[in-house]
Amino acid sequence: MRRRPKQLTADPTLFTPGASGGGTALRTSGGRRERAPGVTRAGGAPAAFTDEAATLVPAPPQPVDVDPEVLARAAAIATRLALRRPRSDATMRRGAGTLTSVPYKGGSDDVDLDRTLEVLAERPLPEPEDIVVRERMRTRRSVLLLVDLSGSMRGERVRTAAATVGALAGELAHDALGVVAFWSDAAVVLPLGRPVRPRRLVEDLLRIPAQGLTNVAFPLQVARRELVAVPARDARVLLLSDCVHNAGPDPRPSAAALPRLDVLLDTTGEHDLDLGRDLARLGHGRLRTVRNHRDVAPALTAIFRR
């Protein structure tokens, strides 16, 4: 018996893994297509907004052989990456991480003698918290990567995007990482916070052929739901796309609903620089453009500088 399609906004099992274990996908059905007045992209084609609904389908399970060129690009990007770690402050969480001097709160006996003597020199009648100890502190970000696998991203663009994800997977090993692939539909390739194996992640991305139209709004909505339980200060979204939006509603309101959205815009072919700028501005993030994999590392370093 054929089931009726589920609406995206009404589906409480949005991120339930499929039977194959390969994550979940969100598929859009046909809908009315409109041109946005006055909004154009590089090449002069106006952006298109539509009212497609969404259904839940399993992600493609078939295995693939990873192109050695993709792995070589990932290694090249990784060697040049220099992502700044989150800033240390009083709200950091104790645990595995950087060895840091903090006020004593009954949890450590490793006294930082030099810092403690500095405090005692100013306070002849010290309180327990005036003792400074060394503890390992951790600030853990939740980083969600949204990877455009629409038809306009096929070929070299897909290889660069997959290599970028592979490089970031290694660099963000101490953070909670999630990956969503999208086209006119979307697939949760890596649920946020699951264990990460960079090569396997690249394989999972390349299982999904570049296809269809580009619905930028859809993955932004998925990102908001994935990050709903994450404090805003620890959450960030990175969109890897040409921003050639031609399916689904205007993505700008969805960008504005995120705690932070950065955009890595591929400009090697047709692209929409104006939309990319709008999304980064509304998402309180940064926009950087790339033309090949050699541009990726400096662009990401700039994006993660704050």
Side-chain angles (χ1 to χ4, degrees), residues 102-204:
V102 296
Y104 175 72
K105 293 185 178 179
S108 174
D109 57 4
D110 183 9
V111 177
D112 184 336
L113 187 59
D114 291 338
R115 292 286 302 278
T116 299
L117 290 176
E118 291 176 5
V119 174
L120 295 181
E122 300 176 0
R123 303 175 188 173
L125 298 175
E127 299 292 334
E129 59 269 20
D130 292 330
I131 306 299
V132 181
V133 298
R134 287 188 291 263
E135 291 188 2
R136 292 201 174 272
M137 304 292 290
R138 177 180 61 195
T139 295
R140 180 177 169 89
R141 293 172 294 197
S142 293
V143 182
L144 198 58
L145 309 180
L146 309 181
V147 186
D148 188 347
L149 294 183
S150 63
S152 63
M153 290 289 289
R154 63 169 54 96
E156 290 299 304
R157 286 176 152 185
V158 167
R159 294 186 182 94
T160 297
T164 300
V165 172
L168 280 171
E171 187 72 13
L172 299 174
H174 299 294
D175 296 298
L177 181 67
V179 179
V180 174
F182 70 94
W183 51 106
S184 51
D185 309 330
V188 181
V189 179
L190 177 70
L192 188 66
R194 294 281 181 86
V196 179
R197 290 183 291 173
R199 183 188 176 102
R200 175 64 182 274
L201 184 55
V202 171
E203 291 175 353
D204 289 344

Side-chain angles (χ1 to χ4, degrees), residues 4 30 93 109 134 204 208 229 249 287 304:
R4 298 179 62 186
R93 298 173 289 283
D109 57 4
R134 287 188 291 263
D204 289 344
I208 305 172
L287 167 76
F304 280 87

Side-chain angles (χ1 to χ4, degrees), residues 195-281:
V196 179
R197 290 183 291 173
R199 183 188 176 102
R200 175 64 182 274
L201 184 55
V202 171
E203 291 175 353
D204 289 344
L205 269 177
L206 294 178
R207 286 178 184 169
I208 305 172
Q211 60 186 314
L213 300 175
T214 309
N215 186 337
V216 179
F218 207 16
L220 299 180
Q221 294 165 11
V222 174
R224 184 181 181 188
R225 294 172 189 243
E226 282 275 86
L227 294 169
V228 67
V230 178
R233 57 156 284 167
D234 295 334
R236 61 190 303 164
V237 178
L238 176 61
L239 174 67
L240 292 77
S241 177
D242 56 19
C243 290
V244 179
H245 177 82
N246 50 26
D250 186 348
R252 293 174 181 84
S254 296
L258 293 171
R260 169 155 181 170
L261 172 65
D262 297 294
V263 180
L264 191 67
L265 183 72
D266 191 310
T267 61
T268 54
E270 185 181 21
H271 61 279
D272 192 338
L273 184 59
D274 289 339
L275 179 59
R277 285 173 175 154
D278 284 350
L279 296 178
R281 174 179 56 81

